[in-house]
Amino acid sequence: MSERVLHSTPKSMAGSPPGPFARAYYHIKPFIPASLRWAIRRFHSPSVLRRNAATWPIDHAAAAKPADWQGWPHGKQFALVLTHDVESEAGLRNVRKLAELEMERDFRSSFNFIPEGTYDDPVELREWLFERDFEVGVHDLYHDGHLYKSREGFSQKARIINQYLNKWNAVGFRSGFMLRQLDWLHELDVLYDASTFDTDPFEPQPVGSHTIFPFQVKPPAGTDGQGYVELSYSLPQDSTLFLLLRETTPEIWKRKLDWIASHGGLALVNIHPDYIDFSGNGRSGSTYPVGMLTGFLDHVKNSFGDSYWNPVARELAAWFKELPQPTPALPHTHP
C-alpha cells in the first residue's frame, strides 16, 4: 500500500454546509415519529448497501499510511478509541453502566454530552467519569441539525460551545448527525474534532475522509491558530449496525477491526448508551442487546491481548499533535 500525505483537510472533506434538502429535513424532523424515520431509512438501506458495496464497511483505499508515519506509541499494532454520544435522558441513565462494563475489561472511553439539548448539564456524572479516567467531550450545542445553517449563526453558537468546553475542561467536539464544515471549526477552542468517518454512506453528508489514520486540519493561510486534529470513526456506528441494518451479531465490527489492525490504523467507534439494552429484554425498535457490545470488546481482548493502544480521544490527539509534520505538506484546501 503506497503512502500519502495527510496534513491538512483532504479536499473531499472540505465540504460545504448542508444543502436545502437537509436543512428542510431538520426543520420537520421533530414532528416525525422516530419509528417512522427509522422505517424510511430501513426501506432505503438495501439500495445504499448495493451502491456502496465496494467501499462499506471497508474502504481499502483508507489503509494508505500518512507520509512519514512511524507507528503508534510503545510499538503497538493499532489504536482503539471508544467514544459515546449521549443524546437523551435514557442515555444519561446508561452512562455509568456502560463505563462500568468498560472498566471491568480495562477499557477507557470518551463520553460526549449535549450542552443544551433535552437534558440538563450532568455535573455529577461528569465528575464521576473524570475521577475514573474517562474523558468528557462536547456534542454539538442543541443537536438539532442546524449548527451549520449559516456562518454567522455558527459563529454565535461557537462562542457558547467554547464556554462549555472551558466549563467542562473538554478539548474534543463532535457535531450532531456527523454534519460538518471543517473550516468553520477553527472557531472552536478544541484539540480535536470527531465529526468525520472513513466511510459511511448512511450519513447525511456521506463523503468520507478515506483514511483510518488521524490527520491535521490546518487553519487558512495567513491566519493565526494551530489548527486541530481530526479523528474519523472507522468502525460503523452502533445505530447503523443494530438499529438501521438490524444486525444480530457484532461480526461486522469484528471484521472491520481485524482489517484495521492488519494495517496498523485507528479503530474508532461511536457507541450510544441511549440504544443499549442492559435489562436483558432483548431487541426493540430503538435498542439492541448489550451482548453486541460485550461480544465485540471481548473479541478485542481475546484476539489482540496487549498489542493495541487504548487511549481516550484527547490523549491520542495530544500525542498526534506533537508529531513532526509530514513533508512535503499539502496546501490548505477550501470548499
Side-chain angles (χ1 to χ4, degrees), residues 221-239:
T223 62
D224 295 330
Q226 298 297 314
Y228 59 88
V229 176
E230 186 63 31
L231 303 178
S232 299
Y233 68 77
S234 52
L235 295 174
Q237 295 192 63
D238 60 342
S239 53

Side-chain angles (χ1 to χ4, degrees), residues 7-220:
H7 177 68
S8 59
T9 318
K11 187 174 183 179
S12 63
M13 294 299 294
S16 60
F21 178 82
R23 291 197 298 270
Y25 170 77
Y26 288 111
H27 275 293
I28 66 173
K29 179 177 179 287
F31 306 103
I32 305 175
S35 59
L36 178 58
R37 296 199 304 269
W38 281 112
I40 294 171
R41 293 186 66 194
R42 288 175 187 137
F43 176 80
H44 289 287
S45 63
S47 62
V48 175
L49 284 172
R50 286 193 297 271
R51 291 195 305 270
N52 296 278
T55 56
W56 190 93
I58 294 174
D59 174 8
H60 290 277
K65 291 181 172 63
D68 301 337
W69 179 253
Q70 299 298 313
W72 300 104
H74 316 300
K76 297 297 185 179
Q77 180 184 355
F78 67 99
L80 173 69
V81 172
L82 306 174
T83 70
H84 309 297
D85 292 350
V86 185
E87 299 181 352
S88 66
E89 290 282 355
L92 281 181
R93 291 193 295 270
N94 282 339
V95 165
R96 292 198 187 201
K97 297 175 186 176
L98 178 53
E100 288 168 348
L101 180 153
E102 292 174 341
M103 286 190 289
E104 290 173 359
R105 293 163 173 78
D106 199 28
F107 290 107
R108 291 297 184 276
S109 61
S110 303
F111 285 85
N112 303 313
F113 296 100
I114 303 171
E116 299 186 7
T118 59
Y119 53 80
D120 295 330
D121 181 357
V123 178
E124 294 182 0
L125 185 56
R126 289 192 291 104
E127 293 175 350
W128 185 89
L129 290 167
F130 276 127
E131 290 170 357
R132 288 156 180 80
D133 298 323
F134 288 86
E135 179 189 358
V136 167
V138 172
H139 187 29
D140 210 276
L141 179 57
Y142 306 119
H143 202 279
D144 58 2
H146 300 310
L147 182 63
Y148 300 104
K149 184 177 180 181
S150 72
R151 185 59 187 265
E152 180 182 2
F154 175 82
S155 295
Q156 294 172 351
K157 293 171 183 176
R159 289 190 286 271
I160 302 173
I161 292 170
N162 284 335
Q163 294 173 5
Y164 281 101
L165 287 162
N166 180 65
K167 178 181 178 181
W168 293 0
N169 189 29
V171 297
F173 180 78
R174 175 178 281 148
S175 303
F177 312 106
M178 300 300 165
L179 300 174
R180 61 190 176 274
Q181 179 63 24
L182 297 188
D183 281 354
W184 296 9
L185 292 182
H186 294 292
E187 296 188 38
L188 299 185
D189 299 330
V190 292
L191 171 65
Y192 73 89
D193 172 66
S195 305
T196 59
F197 40 82
D198 65 328
T199 176
D200 192 340
F202 301 99
E203 289 302 301
Q205 289 178 271
V207 177
S209 64
H210 306 293
T211 181
I212 55 172
F213 294 89
F215 60 91
Q216 297 249 15
V217 181
K218 290 293 185 181

Side-chain angles (χ1 to χ4, degrees), residues 235-255:
L235 295 174
Q237 295 192 63
D238 60 342
S239 53
T240 298
L241 289 186
F242 306 123
L243 301 188
L244 178 61
L245 301 181
R246 310 295 282 173
E247 291 291 322
T248 58
T249 74
E251 287 305 310
I252 291 179
W253 267 348
K254 294 179 182 179
R255 177 159 59 93

